[in-house]
Amino acid sequence: MAEMNMVQAINLALREELERDPDVVLLGEDVGRDGGVFRLTEGLYEAFGEERVIDTPLSESAIIGVAIGMAAYGLKPVAEIQFLGFTYGAIEQLFSHAARLRSRSRGQLHCPLVVRTPYGGGVKAPELHEESSEAMFCHMPGLKVVVPGSPWYAKALLQASIRTPDPVLFLEPTRLYRLLREDVPAGDLPVELGKARIARPGDSVTVVAWGSMLEKSLRAAAGFDAEVIDLMTLNPFDAETILASVRRTGRLVVVHEAAQTGGFGAEIAATVAEDAILSLKAPIRRVTGCDVIPPLPLLEDYNVPTAKQIAGAIAEVLAF
Amino acid sequence: MSKKIIASFTVSRLEILDEQGRVDAELMPDLTDPDLVRLYELMLLTRQFDQRALHLQREGRLGTYPSVLGQEASQVGSAYALQKSDWFFPAFRELGVFVTLGYPLAEIYQYWNGDERGLLCPEQLNIFPICIAVGTHIPHAVGAAMAARYRGDPIATACYFGDGGTSKGDFHEGLNMAGVFQAPVVFIIQNNQWAISISRNHQTAAETLAQKAIAYGIPGIQVDGNDVLAVYQATREALQRARSGGGPSLIECDTYRMADHTTADDAARYRDPEEVQRWQRRDPLLRMRRFLADRGLWDDARQQQLETEIDARLDRAVAREEATPPARARDIFAYTWTEMTPRQKRQLQQLRDLRELDHG
């Protein structure tokens, strides 16, 4: 077993999948010779060649559109878009085609496509490089949305995403790329898409988070008897794990860095309100980014929730 | 320092069969008499299917339908050059291609009647679902072509779209990618002169659509899209080039949409009737029929006999479509993901409880 950061864990997952299955191909701008702008695909071009690790033109809609055609033909493409904000130019491909192909063909065609992309704030990057618009993608049935919160889970979830016959938007929290190190074993790791995990057990309050907010939530939870759930798959999401926890703790804090209005926290809050409202001992609290365009570096700290804010919300619902 | 011409380009147009039914013997494709008759029969089948669909729509027995009237040659001619193993990526007005490839007629009616089961493709064919969003399927054809080459499959992909589709971003991104990777794909523009009410001249300032290929470093040609022989020949050459490693091609079929955009449209609001009359003289069926008659391959009796046979076939297809048991509520859930989610299962149960949608 080797200690790895998330970049290395993702690279290992890609390498193992390329070795395991000749149908797996990578494509995207700079994924080949350059090894990706974050070095996620480093060494893969040399190991697997230009037919498996394909450097494409700067062309987001075609990267995803071509990958859809490859997937329909039977390959398992893993497309990289350099930043989530750059997928906006290719949303038509994701929404109108990747998400719908199986339905439109009545199950005859599948779209085993993974679109990998860094997302989220806290890294002082230019505009469109720190988007956290996951809720928008979660509103499109047919598209799975997966967000790892640690190196081990990044490898496990990426393997599972590549092997699922459905299209997956795989959101990699940029802030975590090199922040955490963890033992990441070789070989298959057991996770299932659509399942959440209890990252930290506790009895008096449930905290639901994903991506880079998981790390902050775990830090915030340290002083409390708080249960922290790593949602991991946002669509379809594991309502049962959340409901079971809330029924036990009676309190819920949802944390995300995306804007509050229409954010995925609203979906979780609504689910708990519908199915477990009588278990609640306090109002549900959301700790989220503001309803603003993700700010440029000098002001971004105002927007991304901090561990202190999360701890404050936990204390507040406990004191209610 | 200097200023000089560093590149110059030409655009070709191919015409083989003229409006009087005469052909240029030197350009004639290598087709047998039965092939020539078959091309005409497929065009007539397309036209009669189309007319029947319009009648059904007016009777409330079909949903919104896009007529293909006038484009029979550009569709049948190009599709006749395809092999069954090739992949076909349609837009939404490619009836003639479906018919030529042998797609079940009842299922075509079924799709336009609002039943997605009509998109269930027979096993021996490789047809992508109809694409309603204009031009966005272009990259898919490129991706499938790249995948086929990666697998070593000796096939090509054929992607159809209209003049409007060439204005879309995915046209550029798809053709650019195809050129860069020399993908075995043939792009077939159905330039029917109108994208709903926007004429070809308002779609682009370029003189031809064929010349757009130049920018991507791939061969492009304009053909008389109402000349089934020219369309066949150009497509055959492009497919051979694709299959032999010569990369992608672009074919502009210069044709005309004789009907409204769809049954929800009224082309009289934006189109000069004289223009329509001018194109009527270039009817693709008429000129092929004249050619076949001159060669002793066709006469009025055969015409009448075939029309009657096709009508009977369409009767059977419509009857089959209308006798199909209704789709079930479960079908809208079953294909969203590979497996139904717990929430979907609950929603389906709620639907069943509320309305007895399931007849199966």
Side-chain angles (χ1 to χ4, degrees):
Chain A
M1 224 185 278
E3 201 170 77
M4 291 183 187
N5 64 26
M6 193 179 276
V7 169
Q8 294 163 322
I10 288 169
N11 183 278
L12 180 63
L14 293 172
R15 180 179 287 274
E16 287 182 359
E17 291 305 293
L18 283 161
E19 275 166 2
R20 188 185 62 82
D21 184 350
D23 283 339
V24 174
V25 296
L26 314 188
L27 70 159
E29 197 199 354
D30 303 317
V31 299
R33 286 176 196 280
D34 196 36
V37 288
F38 286 102
R39 304 288 170 259
L40 268 294
T41 53
E42 193 154 55
L44 303 179
Y45 177 88
E46 291 74 12
F48 298 96
E50 63 180 12
E51 283 197 315
R52 307 279 311 276
V53 184
I54 305 167
D55 268 328
T56 67
L58 196 172
S59 197
E60 283 82 10
S61 193
I63 290 169
I64 295 179
V66 161
I68 290 168
M70 289 176 162
Y73 198 88
L75 301 188
K76 291 176 184 161
V78 182
E80 178 180 296
I81 301 295
Q82 277 176 1
F83 292 92
L84 178 60
F86 299 165
T87 63
Y88 298 168
I91 275 179
E92 185 161 29
Q93 288 298 338
L94 281 172
F95 285 11
S96 303
H97 294 291
R100 308 170 85 99
L101 189 58
R102 190 166 190 282
S103 181
R104 289 165 67 215
S105 66
R106 299 286 90 177
Q108 280 185 317
L109 295 171
H110 295 255
C111 192
L113 157 71
V114 178
V115 177
R116 288 183 37 247
T117 182
Y119 98 111
V123 291
K124 311 283 186 210
E127 189 173 14
L128 287 167
H129 289 61
E130 300 206 2
E131 301 287 298
S132 180
S133 41
E134 63 270 24
M136 182 169 72
F137 298 93
C138 292
H139 196 56
M140 182 49 68
L143 192 63
K144 289 183 173 170
V145 179
V146 175
V147 189
S150 81
W152 194 99
Y153 283 93
K155 185 191 171 203
L157 289 165
L158 183 53
Q159 279 179 334
S161 296
I162 292 171
R163 295 181 200 185
T164 187
D166 298 317
V168 175
L169 180 66
F170 192 83
L171 299 174
E172 300 169 0
T174 323
R175 199 177 69 86
L176 299 189
Y177 268 159
R178 293 184 165 83
L179 184 71
L180 308 171
R181 295 186 76 82
E182 220 172 28
D183 279 334
V184 180
D188 294 358
L189 303 180
V191 294
E192 205 180 319
L193 298 189
K195 298 283 184 213
R197 71 179 177 110
I198 293 171
R200 177 189 195 270
D203 289 323
S204 54
V205 54
T206 301
V207 180
V208 179
W210 52 91
S212 90
M213 290 301 106
L214 178 73
E215 180 267 337
K216 288 187 181 179
S217 297
L218 285 168
R219 274 196 279 136
F224 306 94
D225 183 18
E227 179 146 292
V228 180
I229 294 176
D230 177 6
L231 198 53
M232 301 200 295
T233 305
L234 270 54
N235 197 26
F237 80 106
D238 182 359
E240 282 314 307
T241 295
I242 297 169
L243 289 167
S245 177
V246 171
R247 285 188 184 116
R248 204 158 36 73
T249 64
R251 293 177 173 88
L252 175 65
V253 175
V254 188
V255 189
H256 59 68
E257 61 183 285
Q260 188 169 47
T261 301
F264 202 70
E267 179 59 47
I268 294 168
T271 299
V272 169
E274 276 188 324
D275 294 338
I277 197 162
L278 295 179
S279 307
L280 288 175
K281 298 172 192 159
I284 298 167
R285 269 295 310 269
R286 286 182 281 168
V287 184
T288 71
C290 307
D291 287 1
V292 300
I293 302 293
L296 293 182
L298 285 181
L299 294 174
E300 74 169 283
D301 290 343
Y302 283 109
N303 185 46
V304 182
T306 62
K308 195 176 166 191
Q309 275 174 279
I310 301 166
I314 293 172
E316 198 184 308
V317 297
L318 282 170
F320 182 80
Chain B
M1 273 175 278
S2 70
K3 183 181 177 187
K4 58 192 172 191
I5 293 169
I6 56 161
S8 57
F9 303 96
T10 55
V11 180
S12 305
R13 177 181 167 100
L14 180 65
E15 299 174 357
I16 297 176
L17 173 67
D18 74 10
E19 286 160 35
Q20 276 66 51
R22 292 171 306 214
V23 294
D24 183 328
E26 283 188 16
L27 295 172
M28 264 300 279
D30 181 19
L31 287 169
T32 63
D33 284 351
D35 280 326
L36 296 168
V37 169
R38 184 77 188 130
L39 283 169
Y40 179 71
E41 288 174 343
L42 288 164
M43 287 199 288
L44 191 63
L45 173 58
T46 303
R47 178 156 297 182
Q48 286 185 222
F49 181 109
D50 192 65
Q51 294 302 312
R52 181 68 68 92
L54 290 169
H55 289 307
L56 290 169
Q57 196 278 335
R58 284 186 202 114
E59 290 169 19
R61 293 159 71 189
L62 205 71
T64 303
Y65 172 79
S67 170
V68 72
L69 182 67
Q71 295 177 232
E72 294 89 348
S74 67
Q75 302 196 352
V76 170
S78 53
Y80 205 70
L82 288 169
Q83 294 175 359
K84 284 242 188 306
S85 53
D86 292 335
W87 278 52
F88 158 48
F89 291 78
F92 54 84
R93 202 192 299 280
E94 271 68 46
L95 171 66
V97 184
F98 279 88
V99 163
T100 304
L101 294 176
Y103 200 85
L105 302 180
E107 288 189 23
I108 307 173
Y109 285 125
Q110 190 179 20
Y111 174 75
W112 291 110
N113 206 14
D115 186 339
E116 278 166 318
R117 290 175 298 176
L119 289 178
L120 275 172
C121 182
E123 262 186 27
Q124 72 277 15
L125 295 177
N126 299 301
I127 301 180
F128 227 60
I130 282 172
C131 183
I132 297 294
V134 173
T136 53
H137 59 308
I138 294 171
H140 309 160
V142 180
M146 289 171 69
R149 190 178 51 191
Y150 173 72
R151 287 263 181 91
D153 299 336
I155 68 138
T157 68
C159 187
Y160 287 68
F161 46 91
D163 37 310
T166 65
S167 301
K168 294 292 292 273
D170 278 329
F171 170 79
H172 163 67
E173 295 203 20
L175 266 74
N176 188 52
M177 198 81 107
V180 167
F181 292 109
Q182 290 293 289
V185 53
V186 179
F187 303 106
I188 300 171
I189 305 174
Q190 299 285 296
N191 174 9
N192 67 12
Q193 316 298 332
W194 292 90
I196 307 192
S197 71
I198 306 303
S199 70
R200 215 291 284 148
N201 291 340
H202 277 75
Q203 209 61 242
T204 173
E207 201 173 333
T208 69
L209 300 177
Q211 73 198 58
K212 289 178 181 275
I214 295 165
Y216 304 105
I218 69 177
I221 188 170
Q222 187 186 73
V223 299
D224 179 345
N226 285 15
D227 168 358
V228 71
L229 301 176
V231 177
Y232 169 80
Q233 183 61 18
T235 313
R236 202 175 74 132
E237 283 172 17
L239 286 166
Q240 279 173 347
R241 185 158 51 236
R243 290 199 191 95
S244 60
S249 308
L250 175 72
I251 299 169
E252 175 191 0
C253 297
D254 181 33
T255 182
Y256 195 75
R257 185 192 87 210
M258 299 296 296
D260 298 329
H261 166 65
T262 67
T263 47
D265 173 48
D266 175 12
R269 287 170 64 89
Y270 52 81
R271 208 159 64 171
D272 183 352
E274 276 180 24
E275 180 184 291
V276 181
Q277 284 165 10
R278 205 162 56 243
W279 279 89
Q280 260 162 355
R281 290 194 289 275
R282 305 180 60 191
D283 186 305
L285 271 71
L286 196 57
R287 60 168 89 170
M288 190 60 178
R289 186 173 162 180
R290 284 176 177 150
F291 164 72
L292 291 177
D294 289 348
R295 256 171 113 104
L297 296 169
W298 204 254
D299 56 33
D300 288 350
R302 287 192 71 170
Q303 176 75 19
Q304 205 168 9
Q305 188 195 344
L306 183 60
E307 283 178 11
T308 309
E309 279 171 21
I310 290 174
D311 268 337
R313 212 178 140 192
L314 296 176
D315 288 343
R316 290 194 298 275
V318 172
R320 210 184 103 202
E321 193 278 312
E322 294 188 335
T324 308
R328 297 168 302 174
R330 198 185 59 163
D331 293 345
I332 63 176
F333 291 91
Y335 303 112
T336 308
W337 283 295
T338 313
E339 288 173 11
M340 273 166 66
T341 66
R343 186 170 271 192
Q344 282 182 315
K345 286 177 187 164
R346 196 168 70 178
Q347 290 166 347
L348 173 58
Q349 191 54 50
Q350 284 167 347
L351 270 186
R352 280 183 173 145
D353 293 346
L354 283 170
R355 293 183 280 170
E356 288 185 14
L357 277 176
D358 270 37
H359 304 263

